Amino acid sequence: MGEPISLSFNDRYFYKQDGLGESSYVFINGNDLTNRWKRLKKHESFTIGELGFGTGLNFLNALKEWKTFQREAKLNFISIERFPLALKDLKKALANFPDLKNETNALLQLYPPLSRGFHRINFEENNASLTLIFDDVDRGLDDLQKTTKTFDAWFLDGFSPKENPKMWSSKILSGISNLSHSETTLSSFSAASIIKKSLEENDFNISLVDGYKHKRHMIKAYSNSSNTKSDSNRKKIAIVGAGISGSCLANSLAKRGHHVTVFEKNSNQKNGIPSFVGNPNLSHANTPYGRFLLASYLFFSLYYSKYCPNSWNETGVIVLKDEKGNYKKLEKIFRQINDSDFISKVDKDLLLSMGLDDLDKDALYFPKTGWLKTQSAINELLKNDNIKLKEEEVIEIKNLNEDQKELISNKAKYLFDEICLCNSFNAKNLIELHGANKKRGQVTEVKKPKEDINLPICGQGYISPYSKNNLLIGSSYSNDESHLPSNHDDEENLLKINQMLGLELEKIKNHVSFRFTTKDHLPLLGYKEGLILNLGHGSKGSVNSPLCAEIICDFIDGDPLPIDSALYEALNPNRFNS
């Protein structure tokens, strides 16, 4: 394989002869990482920031070293890259490094589509996460300064200052300085005067040391910041509500070592909707709402595959062309993201295999989604030694002080460090909420037809596999507050599928549930009156919940968030107060 060259900056990504050796010398040794990693405490986070992801060589090298020296701490690696490589080019470039084969294969399997913004990839087996920010470096750093506390080390690996001066400007180094604490280190392959000057202007002590092999010098630097690194204490956390959002959050917190107690007044009662479809209800618009839909969609399937292997069915989903639906937006995304692993036109053979050869409609296929057995997934998510499930009704919550809350149930009183409300519209019994309302939904269970519907098909409504002999179709959406099944809603569901696919289906039974939805269709996520809210997911809870759990875990732990600051602010649960 040859040396990959950036056409934007007319510079090499690495030297083929010993790119891995240079990465270790400049960034691993340059920041004394192996010695610092050995000293980390259990559950402590170590955060690396990188300017210029390029081929991912530095991340993969750091991940391999991390696996050698750490088992109980957590690595956060955040990299900003304006011109990300396509998957095929990344694969070709990394073939130069057989010593990183395992790490490379893991990255290639999880590498996101090249959409602008934040992308979180977790490597759970190694207690490591990679957050890729596909954006301009100044915009990426501005975002991080609004939501992130501090970094422990910086890799400055942009293209040469001559070809890419913006990357090395005093403004950029000021952002890095703001995100550093008193023990933060920095290293760079370049010892150019512009870099030395910018670092000195932004409160770094600089050392010029021997460069790698053919290079005369490189830079090592130490921050003079008065900021301190936040602690990594594990917490006692209560979660009110054992639905899909509460169970995802409980699982994610427990995996990070927190001690979680889940309160559910009806823990033996089955969830109202027996299965959920991972409908790719996406938007092409670069708005907080559009970015949230995409980020949630890209995150959720990997999460369920990992933590709900017996409940998650990654069959793919077909979306039919429908003037009343979301198809036009999805077509624009199809044109913008040229990635068949993410979205493609439906192969007619797929329709033939299901007996839908008479279907004459344009359709899109999303391979990395599917359908989830709800109660089975909840059971899998809550199966963790750090999770206790209590069948108790929460009556009242009191903020005793900044660090301690009292939860009063119908059976006892408890003290917690944090309390998270994940109990949908029932949260209104514990806290005043604005901008969200209860909506009724009904799905209909039908007998399998002769056609072999082996994956969800969405359009005006949806039809999905469910059990050996039955399918689910749905879903109705209304302001009706009745818990009783509605024949009208069943007829409406049956009519939608008939109009979509021409199928005459036989009803078996139905299932009723209630959604809690906000005026802007974004969830209520974050602190309100000292409590953490995770509410208002509407009909997208199964898709949104894994990412929302990740966001909450990160702000509890003081780790960098997986979303941009504008989106984080758009989720603020206080936004409807006025």
Side-chain angles (χ1 to χ4, degrees):
M1 298 293 175
E3 295 175 337
I5 304 292
S6 168
L7 298 179
S8 300
F9 297 105
N10 190 33
D11 199 358
R12 294 179 177 87
Y13 283 98
F14 55 76
Y15 284 92
K16 180 184 176 182
Q17 283 186 330
D18 200 5
L20 185 56
E22 184 173 26
S23 175
S24 294
Y25 182 86
V26 174
F27 298 112
I28 304 297
N29 300 342
N31 287 282
D32 193 26
L33 293 186
T34 54
N35 288 324
R36 294 167 73 187
W37 287 346
K38 290 176 185 177
R39 298 193 295 267
L40 293 176
K41 296 177 291 186
K42 187 175 182 178
H43 300 307
E44 184 176 355
S45 291
F46 192 94
T47 302
I48 297 173
E50 179 185 49
L51 305 191
F53 185 70
T55 63
L57 176 61
N58 295 328
F59 166 70
L60 296 172
N61 193 26
L63 181 62
K64 184 171 184 177
E65 291 295 313
W66 174 262
K67 289 157 64 174
T68 303
F69 291 98
Q70 258 303 328
R71 290 291 183 273
E72 296 185 321
K74 182 174 186 292
L75 176 66
N76 303 309
F77 196 103
I78 293 84
S79 188
I80 305 173
E81 176 60 65
R82 178 64 185 91
F83 301 99
L85 291 176
L87 181 62
K88 61 181 177 61
D89 296 323
L90 193 70
K91 185 175 183 179
K92 188 184 299 183
L94 291 172
N96 287 288
F97 305 104
D99 289 348
L100 296 174
K101 181 180 178 180
N102 292 336
E103 293 76 19
T104 295
N105 288 340
L107 175 63
L108 294 176
Q109 288 175 9
L110 302 173
Y111 194 64
L114 305 186
S115 58
R116 196 164 188 162
F118 283 53
H119 300 272
R120 169 64 58 84
I121 303 170
N122 284 331
F123 299 80
E124 286 93 349
E125 294 80 2
N126 311 123
N127 285 338
S129 73
L130 168 65
T131 304
L132 292 170
I133 305 175
F134 292 157
D135 210 336
D136 291 321
V137 63
D138 51 353
R139 192 152 42 204
L141 283 173
D142 284 345
D143 254 320
L144 290 171
Q145 289 177 75
K146 293 172 184 174
T147 60
T148 305
K149 293 180 181 177
T150 56
F151 286 67
D152 297 292
W154 289 95
F155 295 1
L156 300 195
D157 197 28
F159 292 108
S160 71
K162 180 181 177 182
E163 302 295 341
N164 187 18
K166 180 181 178 181
M167 178 76 84
W168 310 94
S169 68
S170 183
K171 179 186 176 184
I172 298 303
L173 271 296
S174 173
I176 288 175
S177 178
N178 293 338
L179 287 163
S180 299
H181 57 71
S182 57
E183 298 177 18
T184 299
T185 62
L186 176 153
S187 63
S188 171
F189 65 89
S190 176
S193 58
I194 183 177
I195 305 174
K196 291 185 286 186
K197 182 180 178 183
S198 293
L199 286 169
E200 288 168 348
E201 289 173 349
N202 288 287
D203 216 18
F204 279 92
N205 285 331
I206 301 167
S207 297
L208 284 182
V209 298
D210 290 341
Y212 185 69
K213 288 188 175 180
H214 58 282
K215 293 186 178 178
R216 185 178 177 187
H217 290 128
M218 60 165 276
I219 285 177
K220 293 169 65 172
Y222 305 86
S223 172
N224 290 318
S225 173
S226 59
N227 296 329
T228 56
K229 183 174 179 176
S230 56
D231 62 48
S232 56
N233 296 331
R234 298 301 88 181
K235 296 184 175 184
K236 287 177 60 180
I237 300 174
I239 293 175
V240 183
I244 198 69
S245 63
S247 299
C248 285
L249 180 56
N251 177 270
S252 296
L253 287 168
K255 295 290 184 184
R256 296 197 188 196
H258 295 286
H259 304 285
V260 181
T261 304
V262 179
F263 292 85
E264 176 56 65
K265 62 180 179 180
N266 298 312
S267 62
N268 294 319
Q269 181 177 319
K270 298 297 183 184
N271 193 286
I273 303 298
S275 74
F276 287 109
V277 172
N279 189 347
N281 184 14
L282 305 173
S283 170
H284 66 286
N286 184 23
T287 62
Y289 179 65
R291 295 196 299 278
F292 178 72
L293 292 178
L294 181 60
S296 296
Y297 178 78
L298 292 174
F299 191 79
F300 90 108
S301 182
L302 292 169
Y303 185 92
Y304 289 137
S305 295
K306 176 70 177 177
Y307 296 121
C308 307
N310 300 314
S311 310
W312 173 241
N313 303 273
E314 192 173 290
T315 56
V317 169
I318 290 174
V319 179
L320 301 177
K321 186 171 185 178
D322 172 20
E323 296 305 319
K324 295 180 182 178
N326 198 40
Y327 192 82
K328 288 183 179 179
K329 295 177 183 177
L330 296 178
E331 273 197 314
K332 289 184 179 179
I333 293 171
F334 172 67
R335 291 193 292 269
Q336 289 171 356
I337 301 177
N338 184 24
D339 185 347
S340 61
D341 288 332
F342 176 71
I343 180 174
S344 63
K345 289 286 187 179
V346 167
D347 187 334
K348 294 296 182 183
D349 289 341
L350 180 58
L351 297 176
L352 286 170
S353 70
M354 292 189 287
L356 297 174
D357 41 302
D358 292 334
L359 187 64
D360 188 23
K361 288 185 180 180
D362 285 343
L364 293 169
Y365 176 61
F366 293 80
K368 293 184 178 179
T369 181
W371 59 282
L372 182 74
K373 295 178 183 177
T374 315
Q375 192 58 49
S376 171
I378 288 170
N379 294 341
E380 286 190 89
L381 290 166
L382 296 180
K383 192 174 182 180
N384 186 291
D385 290 341
N386 283 342
I387 298 175
K388 296 177 182 177
L389 178 62
K390 291 187 177 291
E391 190 172 344
E392 300 177 24
E393 181 178 3
V394 177
I395 305 299
E396 186 180 1
I397 295 171
K398 295 179 181 179
N399 284 300
L400 300 182
N401 54 55
E402 187 176 336
D403 299 317
Q404 203 167 51
K405 285 90 178 168
E406 183 181 48
L407 183 150
I408 304 169
S409 79
N410 60 334
K411 294 183 180 179
K413 294 181 179 181
Y414 305 89
L415 295 178
F416 291 100
D417 301 313
E418 301 281 6
I419 298 177
C420 309
L421 301 185
C422 304
N423 54 338
S424 190
F425 51 85
N426 290 317
K428 286 190 170 185
N429 298 326
L430 299 170
I431 192 171
E432 187 176 358
L433 294 173
H434 302 278
N437 292 292
K438 184 176 173 182
K439 298 288 183 181
R440 184 183 184 279
Q442 180 170 313
V443 299
T444 307
E445 196 170 331
V446 298
K447 186 177 179 181
K448 276 189 176 180
K450 62 178 175 52
E451 291 81 4
D452 182 21
I453 308 296
N454 54 24
L455 80 172
I457 302 174
C458 303
Q460 299 176 52
Y462 70 82
I463 183 168
S464 172
Y466 169 52
S467 66
K468 182 178 179 180
N469 298 312
N470 297 346
L471 305 174
L472 276 186
I473 63 172
S475 170
S476 66
Y477 193 89
S478 73
N479 293 318
D480 187 354
E481 295 201 8
S482 172
H483 289 260
L484 298 174
S486 162
N487 288 329
H488 174 270
D489 285 1
D490 286 333
E491 291 169 4
E492 183 181 285
N493 290 337
L494 290 164
L495 178 61
K496 286 177 183 175
I497 302 306
N498 179 264
Q499 291 174 341
M500 279 171 53
L501 302 173
L503 300 179
E504 297 288 346
L505 299 171
E506 179 184 341
K507 182 178 92 171
I508 303 297
K509 57 182 177 180
N510 42 39
H511 307 268
V512 176
S513 187
F514 290 87
R515 314 171 180 98
F516 195 41
T517 185
T518 64
K519 291 192 290 188
D520 59 8
H521 304 292
L522 285 170
L524 305 172
L525 197 76
Y527 282 99
K528 181 179 175 68
E529 298 176 19
L531 306 178
I532 296 172
L533 271 56
N534 182 15
L535 305 166
H537 295 279
S539 59
K540 306 181 188 74
S542 59
V543 176
N544 296 350
S545 291
L547 180 66
C548 289
E550 187 84 355
I551 295 168
I552 292 172
C553 287
D554 281 342
F555 67 65
I556 285 177
D557 290 346
D559 287 342
L561 299 183
I563 57 172
D564 64 81
S565 59
L567 173 51
Y568 183 56
E569 186 58 35
L571 299 172
N572 190 322
N574 300 287
R575 65 187 184 271
F576 298 118
N577 285 359
S578 57

